Amino acid sequence: MTDKQVKRLALGGVMAALVFVMTYLPKVPVPVTGGYVHLGDGMIFLAAMLLGPMGAAAAAVGSALSDLVGGYMTYLIPTFLIKGAMALVAWKLYKPGNWLRTAIAFIIAETVMVAGYFAFEAVLYGVPAALGAVGPNAIQGLAGVIVGLLCYTLVPRLKSIIK
């Protein structure tokens, strides 16, 4: 393994840990599904901006780890898939130096998250309960977009530090 690959792998681990911490600690419960609203999505966007497609692995692992530690075993695999897909969408649509396109990328990625959890929860709890979770998931998505855009301003500086 080259030095650059080791650094990238280490950064992936750090980003997975950051996603986990920001998902696990500051959370607001959602009684309808027993889930919670958190700030981890902003770190998913940071991972996508810093790591490219490898950010999807950090997003999936960090988010799923939060479900594992938090006792949300039913959500473990859906979270892994949904958050990984969210990061891939954000990375694919994100454009460095273009704030508006980045904001749109993050909004589309959060739409993937809301739709993914709606589909899973509709099967698990029924459509009415899944619809009840759309609002809290959208609020979480909005928080993720805001945190992600705040991180967007830091990315050039972080990339220069990483190199």
Side-chain angles (χ1 to χ4, degrees):
M1 230 181 194
T2 67
D3 188 45
K4 186 175 181 177
Q5 290 171 321
V6 170
K7 284 181 181 178
R8 196 158 174 76
L9 184 61
L11 181 59
V14 168
M15 289 309 305
L18 194 54
V19 168
F20 164 73
V21 167
M22 293 304 289
T23 301
Y24 186 72
L25 292 179
K27 56 184 161 186
V28 177
V30 176
V32 176
T33 62
Y36 55 93
V37 175
H38 57 80
L39 297 177
D41 289 2
M43 297 306 100
I44 288 172
F45 294 140
L46 180 60
M49 291 184 287
L50 291 177
L51 295 169
M54 191 175 141
V61 169
S63 298
L65 185 59
S66 179
D67 282 347
L68 177 67
V69 172
Y72 295 91
M73 294 304 294
T74 306
Y75 282 83
L76 188 76
I77 293 171
T79 291
F80 184 89
L81 297 172
I82 291 166
K83 298 300 183 165
M86 197 178 118
L88 281 176
V89 167
W91 163 72
K92 195 71 174 163
L93 300 177
Y94 155 72
K95 184 158 174 86
N98 188 329
W99 185 89
L100 180 60
R101 179 157 169 179
T102 299
I104 292 168
F106 292 174
I107 291 167
I108 292 170
E110 289 292 2
T111 302
V112 167
M113 182 270 294
V114 172
Y117 281 117
F118 172 79
F120 175 68
E121 290 167 345
V123 171
L124 195 63
Y125 304 116
V127 173
L131 283 172
V134 168
N137 283 338
I139 291 168
Q140 174 182 308
L142 178 61
V145 169
I146 291 168
V147 172
L149 290 173
L150 291 171
C151 290
Y152 170 81
T153 62
L154 302 173
V155 167
R157 189 169 197 191
L158 290 173
K159 281 189 174 185
S160 70
I161 293 169
I162 293 166
K163 289 181 182 178

